[in-house]
């Protein structure tokens, strides 16, 4: 159940990072399949799942998306 929650959250994060539906449903299907594949390999952190999948598709920005710290001075 926890893994399913993590995969669901990762999918939501990944789809939320896509620009207002400008990607076809096929991309969302590929994202879902890759999230499942990564989870089967033991990756269960939603942020890491999202970043790994988006990176593998070339859809990730250079800047970190899910930083646990804030930059500031």
């Amino acid at each position: 159940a926890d893994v399913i929650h993590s995969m669901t959250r990762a999918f939501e994060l990944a789809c939320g990072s896509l620009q207002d539906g400008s990607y076809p449903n096929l991309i969302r299907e590929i994202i879902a399949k890759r999230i499942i594949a990564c989870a089967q390999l033991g990756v269960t952190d939603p942020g890491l799942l999202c970043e790994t999948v988006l990176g593998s598709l070339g859809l990730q920005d250079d800047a970190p998306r899910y930083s646990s710290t804030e930059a500031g001075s």
Side-chain angles (χ1 to χ4, degrees):
D2 289 334
V3 174
I4 292 172
H5 176 73
S6 294
M7 291 189 303
T8 301
R9 182 66 183 135
F11 183 75
E12 291 168 350
L13 290 169
C15 288
S17 72
L18 302 179
Q19 299 174 354
D20 299 324
S22 62
Y23 291 92
N25 287 335
L26 177 60
I27 296 297
R28 287 178 174 75
E29 183 178 334
I30 292 168
I31 288 170
K33 288 180 179 182
R34 290 195 182 183
I35 287 172
I36 292 167
C38 288
Q40 288 175 334
L41 293 173
V43 180
T44 58
D45 177 80
L48 184 57
L49 280 168
C50 176
E51 289 180 3
T52 300
V53 169
L54 291 179
S56 74
L57 295 171
L59 299 174
Q60 185 177 15
D61 295 336
D62 291 335
R65 292 182 188 274
Y66 309 106
S67 176
S68 59
T69 59
E70 292 181 2
S73 45

